[in-house]
Each structure stands twice: as structure tokens, then as C-alpha cells.
Amino acid sequence: MKFIGITGGVGAGKSEILHYLETKDGVKVMLADEIAHELMLPGTECYQKLKDMFSDEDIWNEDGSFDRKKLATVIFSDEKKRDALNGIVHPAVKKYIRTVADTERENGVLKILVLEAALLIEEHYDEICDELWYIYTREDIRKERLMRSRGYSPEKVQQIFDSQLQEAVYRKYCKVVIDNNGTVEDAIRQIDLAITNMENE
């Protein structure tokens, strides 16, 4: 089994690529965001730590769960709070992912396990993935996409871009770069080639 980590800036179009990978035989896709969301639900260890930390913030739904939009606003505007949240959630997510990867290797059924994570490099997933892939899309395309699909203001988009890694860092750590500035078909061709190359190594 090969374990691939996929990353890229917000709005890079990773979802379409992951959707394609999910359709392939012997491939399982994990999303770090979804895992984090599960681990932050009421009743979990992460949730209790975060409830203590953010008790004075207006980020709670009536059922006690987090309002994810309000939480995002708080952590994107306050680096200390973002770091504090990451310090609780990311180690728990990484532990969960490592367990899944170990289990899948032992089972010996999967050909490829894929993990998508925004902070793949910052959280040192290169230590547990076989290789990292970078989905590259120009900033102007990503900006237009985020403003259209999520209704973000130009300032909000720039704030998010500023909190993410520079392109050169992605390229330094990632073995494969998928150019996603063209059509979905173009990106898929690159993915198929990358998988073939990986399997032939």
C-alpha cells in the first residue's frame, strides 16, 4: 500500500481530484478536516479541551456543538487562538490517521491510501506518508473561485492566503505537482500518470 498526502492552497480545486481518486479501485480517501470535525464533536476528549479554552467565545450552537463559521472567524483573526486550537486538534487527528494507515497496511487490501490536509507540511505528515502531492492553482483563479463559491470578500480571501504556505514551500516538500489551472481532464491525466509512476518505482 502507498500512502499519499495531498495538499494545496484553499480554493485549489482539491475536491474534484479527491472525488476522482475515490472512484478508483483499491483507493481510500481521508479528509483531515472531516476527521477533525468528528474529533471535535461533543463527548470527545478534544471537544472538552476546546470547550474549556473557548468558553468565553460566542461560537456555540444550542446543542453545545461548535458553530464552525464563527469558530473559523475567531481563529483566522487571532493567531494565538489558532495556534492553541491547532495544538489540541492536530495531534489527535494525526494519531487517528496513523492508526488508520497502520491498520490498512496490515489488512493488505488497499492499493493507495490518500490523505487530504491543508496543513500536511506544517504538521510533518511527510513522516508518515510515502509521498506528498501538491495541487497547484494560480492565486487569481483561487481568489475568484472562493469569492464566487463561498461568498468571501477580497480581504477575507487575502487573509486566508496570508495564513497559508508560500508556493515555493509546497514545491520543496511535494514529490508530485498537479497543475490544476486547466480542465479537470488535464488534472486527471496528470494524476493517472503520477499513480503509474509511483506503482512502477
Side-chain angles (χ1 to χ4, degrees):
M1 185 192 88
K2 291 285 189 180
F3 187 11
I4 302 169
I6 288 185
T7 193
V10 66
K14 297 184 289 291
S15 298
E16 288 169 332
I17 285 165
L18 294 164
H19 180 66
Y20 170 69
L21 285 166
E22 274 183 320
T23 66
K24 296 180 75 68
D25 283 341
V27 178
K28 176 176 179 173
V29 174
M30 294 190 294
L31 306 176
D33 257 5
E34 283 190 4
I35 294 166
H37 182 53
E38 293 287 320
L39 294 176
M40 288 166 66
L41 290 174
T44 63
E45 191 181 336
C46 271
Y47 172 84
Q48 199 49 55
K49 288 180 181 175
L50 292 169
K51 192 159 174 57
D52 294 342
M53 182 182 295
F54 291 101
S55 57
D56 57 342
E57 297 284 352
D58 176 28
I59 55 170
W60 307 97
N61 292 317
E62 281 184 19
D63 64 358
S65 63
F66 290 101
D67 181 316
R68 295 182 80 188
K69 273 191 173 177
K70 287 181 179 177
L71 179 61
T73 302
V74 168
I75 62 171
F76 269 118
S77 59
D78 189 324
E79 196 174 341
K80 277 187 179 174
K81 285 177 180 167
R82 184 163 73 239
D83 288 346
L85 177 128
N86 290 347
I88 290 170
V89 177
H90 291 161
V93 171
K94 197 170 189 179
K95 182 181 174 185
Y96 176 92
I97 288 165
R98 201 186 283 269
T99 302
V100 172
D102 290 347
T103 303
E104 294 294 358
R105 280 192 206 280
E106 283 170 26
N107 290 344
V109 176
L110 277 190
K111 286 192 278 188
I112 301 172
L113 179 64
V114 177
L115 167 68
E116 187 277 320
L119 299 176
L120 201 73
I121 294 165
E122 297 93 322
E123 291 298 312
H124 306 290
Y125 277 100
D126 53 322
E127 294 167 3
I128 57 176
C129 293
D130 294 311
E131 57 186 64
L132 305 187
W133 292 11
Y134 170 43
I135 311 303
Y136 166 64
T137 309
R138 295 196 322 266
E139 273 202 4
D140 59 308
I141 295 175
R142 291 163 50 209
K143 185 174 186 177
E144 192 271 332
R145 189 179 283 158
L146 288 167
M147 288 167 65
R148 188 182 67 241
S149 66
R150 301 191 192 178
Y152 289 170
S153 66
E155 294 76 22
K156 166 104 172 171
V157 173
Q158 196 55 54
Q159 190 181 35
I160 294 169
F161 284 179
D162 290 345
S163 74
Q164 298 195 317
L165 295 178
Q166 297 297 306
E167 186 192 332
V169 181
Y170 285 118
R171 289 182 180 270
K172 177 184 172 186
Y173 283 93
C174 295
K175 183 176 181 180
V176 173
V177 177
I178 304 293
D179 187 311
N180 199 27
N181 291 298
T183 63
V184 176
E185 290 73 26
D186 285 340
I188 284 171
R189 274 194 291 274
Q190 295 171 66
I191 290 159
D192 287 341
L193 179 61
I195 288 173
T196 302
N197 290 341
M198 183 177 67
E199 289 174 344
N200 290 338
E201 281 177 355

